[in-house]
Amino acid sequence: MNTYKALKQNKFSRGHFSIIPLRQEDKYKIMEWRNEQIYHLRQTKKLTKEEQEVYFKNVVSKLFVKEKPDQLLFSFLKGDQCIGYGGLVHINWNDKNAEISFIMETSLEEKHFENLWITYLSLIEEVAFQDLEFHKIYTYAFNLRPRLYTALVESGFDLEAQLKEHSFFNGRFIDVKIHSKLNRILEIKKATKDDLMITFNWATNKEVRRFAYNKNDIAFDEHKRWFLSSINDPNCKYYMFMVNGNAAGSIRFDIVKQKLAKINYLLDPSYFGKGLGVKLLDEGIKFLKMECPEIEIVYGYVFPENRASVRIFEKLSFRKSLEKNSELKFEKKLI
């Protein structure tokens, strides 16, 4: 088996599936798949065996010995059988990011497209985030395969950009979608007395309080009494949202009835615009469900002008209704 000098590890496995440095024996299979699927690739004409031989000799063979190659290519195996190939391409070693490429055996697409994409993404993420310690990975895809977006979202990728009419395809201009994922460790933990100061800083921050219901100034002693009371109240589930070990926000569930909980959450302004609001709310609900499996419904109130929070609730499929005081109520039944 060939090995990459750039990697500490050269085989990454999950169950029956694995990726290993691109094998010579798979080159003609790969050529056939690329020619069959040329419609969604940045490939202008069908490849020949001669061209594939030249590519493997002059390009692929040199990748193994470079300390910082511009791409790392892998055979995607089920057992010992190659059923796809891909890798990290357009690698930017300075900025620690790379584009993901992947195609599977054409005959597998109809029944196994999403599952194989999800499995492959988990493996290539291990290469990028654990072995190489990259900061970001992303996909660049012509807007032709909606099933791809299902696999990406399920794997934790966010739609970062949609380039309108960016590529010319079959006589018309089509969009390009870019999905990305950052190398972040996201955690939910119970709030403790050690979180008093950071929560006070949030409670008095103008950006955080812009859409708060209580507009009055908050004194430290007042916040301290409220905070310590909240974390010791059995009907209040107060959690901290951690990003790479740093407090990035909080979420509180006030249990108003045996099976019903009201949501209040906030995100530190330094984390605004990074798509973390959805993850905060989603992970907070999951943590609540583990701690309080009897909770069946969660809900929260949002001012209509708070568009960021409205979008967060909508993305997580909360049901929206308009209250008498012009607030929006978002409610969701937990499975």
Side-chain angles (χ1 to χ4, degrees):
M1 183 180 81
N2 288 318
T3 59
Y4 284 117
K5 187 176 183 179
L7 296 177
K8 305 178 192 73
Q9 178 181 336
N10 275 270
K11 182 175 182 179
F12 302 83
S13 301
R14 182 151 303 197
H16 299 298
F17 299 96
S18 62
I19 55 174
I20 62 173
L22 192 59
R23 304 187 305 192
Q24 277 280 338
E25 64 199 76
D26 301 323
K27 61 187 172 186
Y28 295 135
K29 276 186 177 182
I30 291 167
M31 181 195 72
E32 290 175 6
W33 300 335
R34 291 192 65 94
N35 288 342
E36 291 166 351
Q37 300 175 45
I38 193 172
Y39 74 97
H40 68 80
L41 301 173
R42 281 171 279 181
Q43 176 182 319
T44 57
K45 63 182 182 67
K46 289 191 174 183
L47 301 171
T48 65
K49 286 188 175 182
E50 291 76 15
E51 289 170 330
Q52 191 75 334
E53 288 283 357
V54 170
Y55 178 72
F56 267 70
K57 180 180 179 180
N58 294 340
V59 178
V60 174
S61 64
K62 296 177 181 178
L63 299 175
F64 303 114
V65 297
K66 291 182 178 180
E67 290 188 3
K68 293 184 177 181
D70 59 359
Q71 56 183 332
L72 293 165
L73 302 175
F74 299 90
S75 294
F76 177 56
L77 309 180
K78 183 178 182 181
D80 293 324
Q81 180 184 358
C82 181
I83 60 169
Y85 104 105
L88 298 172
V89 299
H90 304 299
I91 296 175
N92 185 325
W93 292 92
N94 288 328
D95 296 333
K96 295 184 178 296
N97 64 57
E99 180 185 338
I100 296 169
S101 71
F102 178 59
I103 64 171
M104 68 184 69
E105 182 179 325
T106 309
S107 63
L108 298 174
E109 287 197 323
E110 183 177 354
K111 292 184 178 180
H112 304 287
F113 185 90
E114 290 91 345
N115 287 338
L116 291 180
W117 255 102
I118 290 168
T119 301
Y120 171 77
L121 286 170
S122 69
L123 293 169
I124 204 67
E125 181 178 323
E126 191 175 341
V127 177
F129 288 164
Q130 296 183 28
D131 194 296
L132 296 173
E133 298 181 356
F134 277 6
H135 178 63
K136 178 181 178 179
I137 50 179
Y138 62 93
T139 59
Y140 178 104
F142 301 141
N143 191 16
L144 298 170
R145 300 182 295 167
R147 294 172 69 187
L148 171 58
Y149 312 137
T150 301
L152 288 168
V153 170
E154 189 166 333
S155 298
F157 284 71
D158 296 311
L159 178 61
E160 180 172 316
Q162 183 159 336
L163 309 180
K164 296 292 186 180
E165 299 185 10
H166 193 70
S167 294
F168 193 68
F169 175 80
N170 277 356
R172 63 188 178 94
F173 288 96
I174 60 172
D175 295 353
V176 166
K177 291 192 175 187
I178 298 173
H179 287 76
S180 64
K181 188 173 186 178
L182 299 178
N183 188 5
R184 290 192 176 118
I185 301 173
L186 306 180
E187 299 175 280
I188 295 287
K189 73 175 188 71
K190 290 184 180 181
T192 70
K193 62 182 181 181
D194 293 335
D195 300 310
L196 173 62
M197 282 309 302
I198 184 67
T199 57
F200 176 67
N201 291 338
W202 290 334
T204 54
N205 183 284
K206 289 183 179 179
E207 278 296 300
V208 172
R209 292 185 57 74
R210 190 153 61 102
F211 296 111
Y213 287 88
N214 178 11
K215 303 295 185 183
N216 298 327
D217 291 339
I218 298 175
F220 176 74
D221 287 343
E222 176 188 354
H223 175 77
K224 181 178 180 180
R225 285 192 297 271
W226 173 85
F227 179 76
L228 294 178
S229 173
S230 295
I231 63 175
N232 290 303
D233 184 349
N235 290 319
C236 177
K237 304 302 177 182
Y238 202 147
Y239 308 131
M240 301 296 289
F241 179 56
M242 312 297 291
V243 177
N244 293 338
N246 298 311
S250 67
I251 185 165
R252 193 179 79 247
F253 297 92
D254 295 312
I255 302 174
V256 294
K257 292 182 180 179
Q258 184 180 5
K259 299 180 180 181
L260 187 66
K262 181 181 177 181
I263 301 168
N264 284 281
Y265 76 92
L266 64 86
L267 192 66
D268 187 300
S270 63
Y271 291 90
F272 284 1
K274 301 178 184 294
L276 290 171
V278 172
K279 299 186 186 301
L280 162 57
L281 183 54
D282 190 34
E283 293 301 317
I285 292 171
K286 290 176 182 175
F287 200 93
L288 171 72
K289 193 62 178 173
M290 287 191 296
E291 189 176 11
C292 304
E294 70 277 7
I295 298 295
E296 294 181 357
I297 296 174
V298 292
Y299 70 94
Y301 293 99
V302 180
F303 291 120
E305 58 268 29
N306 188 354
R307 293 300 306 159
S309 283
V310 169
R311 287 193 295 270
I312 287 168
F313 279 108
E314 288 176 342
K315 284 183 178 179
L316 292 174
S317 302
F318 275 71
R319 185 172 61 86
K320 180 172 65 175
S321 60
L322 183 64
E323 296 294 288
K324 292 181 180 179
N325 57 2
S326 297
E327 295 172 341
L328 296 174
K329 181 180 181 181
F330 288 91
E331 182 177 289
K332 185 174 186 177
K333 290 185 177 180
L334 306 182
I335 299 174

